[in-house]
Amino acid sequence: MAGDPYKELGVSRGASAAEIKAAFRKLAKELHPDKNRGDTATEERFKRVSAAFDILNDPDKKAQFDSGQIDADGQQQYRGYGGAQPGAGAGGFGGFNHAGGPGGRAAFEDLDLDEIFGRFGGGRGPAKGFGRGQDVRATLEISLEDSIGGATRRIQFSDGRTLDVAIPKGATNGQTIRLRGQGMAGRTEKGDALIELRIAPHPVFKVEGADVTMDLPISVPDAVLGGKVECQTPDGPVSVTVPKGSNSGQIMRLRGKGAYAGGARGDLKARLMIMLPETIDPILLRVAEDWRSSRPYKPGKI
């Protein structure tokens, strides 16, 4: 049985949703079975922490727990008439005695049999909401291109199961995908698998909110004379026009070629970087020497 979910996560009852999520992430990283293989005690703690987060991360479940409607395992808490607990009454069913009036035989007989057996664990099986399996949580690292264009990626859980996860177009960092019925088995139904998406660092692009930045190398002639150059984007290469007289550090903005945030796509900001050839041509040397001696100038401050 799980303990107090607030104590399991180490947060106060007044903790915000962000504080609860942060506490869970920290503990999940420390206790994850993949990092503690063979450590049964840590594995059990990880399960308790996950169960606690399942309660406190769901506003409805959190409200039900705070009001005493469900316990730390997510099981509903029922009180018989007169406030007695099920099983506490003299007649074997808490709150239902054999006298008339509230809590007596008449009130008992007025209840639907399925409700009675559901409440008290009778032979007809548990009532709706009882015995749902725990949700399982995992993190899936995806590329920036996957988040923009969508993809299907496979994830493996600590129990060896693998699932193919459909990444939607416009996915964002930290977004959670719910796969219903792919969690732990329960008495009545399986829980869900909650997959949190993490966009991996990119060798070319840097994500800044909805915008993406990058360095765009250009040659000296293109910088001086202007011209068309190829620019890599998350959607593939495109041709852009470099203005005549461009300098390193200037930004070219490609609208709608960035990442997604808040349902909208940002821009790609390409910072121009003037690059000399690996081997300096003699003609370029002579031009530079002549320029320095006859037409000296001081570059502006960067």
Side-chain angles (χ1 to χ4, degrees):
M1 177 178 291
D4 185 326
Y6 290 98
K7 292 181 179 179
E8 291 289 356
L9 294 182
V11 298
S12 67
R13 287 184 173 267
S16 66
E19 290 171 334
I20 290 170
K21 191 171 186 178
F24 171 72
R25 284 181 177 171
K26 180 181 178 182
L27 290 171
K29 289 180 180 179
E30 296 175 358
L31 304 173
H32 198 281
D34 287 347
K35 294 177 60 178
N36 302 276
R37 295 186 183 277
D39 188 340
T40 55
T42 301
E43 183 178 349
E44 287 302 315
R45 176 81 196 287
F46 178 76
K47 291 178 181 179
R48 296 199 305 273
V49 166
S50 298
F53 183 67
D54 182 58
I55 295 287
L56 300 185
N57 190 50
D58 186 313
D60 292 335
K61 290 182 181 179
K62 182 176 182 296
Q64 290 174 18
F65 175 79
D66 290 343
S67 64
Q69 297 178 52
I70 61 174
D71 62 16
D73 291 310
Q75 303 301 312
Q76 295 182 6
Q77 297 295 289
Y78 291 99
R79 293 182 178 276
Y81 291 97
Q85 293 290 342
F93 292 107
F96 292 98
N97 52 53
H98 295 286
R105 181 179 297 277
F108 180 87
E109 291 176 349
D110 286 342
L111 290 175
D112 180 81
L113 288 178
D114 284 335
E115 183 180 359
I116 295 171
F117 286 111
R119 286 191 179 192
F120 299 103
R124 296 199 180 194
K128 182 179 179 181
F130 272 67
R132 182 181 181 277
Q134 288 186 359
D135 294 339
V136 296
R137 300 177 182 275
T139 300
L140 177 61
E141 191 171 79
I142 62 174
S143 69
L144 175 63
E145 290 84 354
D146 289 345
S147 73
I148 293 173
T152 299
R153 294 290 177 258
R154 180 162 293 183
I155 187 171
Q156 182 171 6
F157 293 94
S158 57
D159 61 3
R161 289 188 305 132
T162 60
L163 284 175
D164 287 332
V165 182
I167 311 299
K169 291 183 179 181
T172 56
N173 193 52
Q175 179 178 338
T176 297
I177 296 176
R178 181 182 293 271
L179 303 179
R180 300 201 177 274
Q182 297 296 337
M184 296 179 65
R187 295 195 299 274
T188 59
E189 61 178 316
K190 289 185 176 181
D192 300 334
L194 304 177
I195 313 299
E196 183 176 0
L197 303 180
R198 286 293 175 190
I199 300 177
H202 199 281
V204 176
F205 308 111
K206 181 180 180 181
V207 179
E208 298 179 347
D211 292 336
V212 171
T213 63
M214 63 171 291
D215 290 338
L216 177 59
I218 60 173
S219 69
V220 174
D222 286 335
V224 174
L225 304 174
K228 290 187 176 296
V229 301
E230 184 179 277
C231 177
Q232 185 65 33
T233 78
D235 301 305
V238 298
S239 178
V240 298
T241 301
V242 175
K244 182 187 296 185
S246 292
N247 283 310
S248 287
Q250 287 183 214
I251 301 296
M252 296 189 64
R253 184 181 292 269
L254 283 67
R255 299 197 178 277
K257 293 293 185 181
Y260 280 89
R265 191 169 182 185
D267 302 332
L268 171 64
K269 295 186 289 186
R271 183 175 62 177
L272 301 181
M273 303 293 290
I274 300 173
M275 306 294 291
L276 292 172
E278 292 183 6
T279 302
I280 303 299
D281 187 275
I283 296 177
L284 179 58
L285 282 173
R286 288 197 297 270
V287 170
E289 290 170 353
D290 177 68
W291 192 277
R292 182 164 60 181
S293 62
S294 62
R295 298 175 179 85
Y297 75 101
K298 293 183 178 180
K301 293 182 179 180
I302 298 178

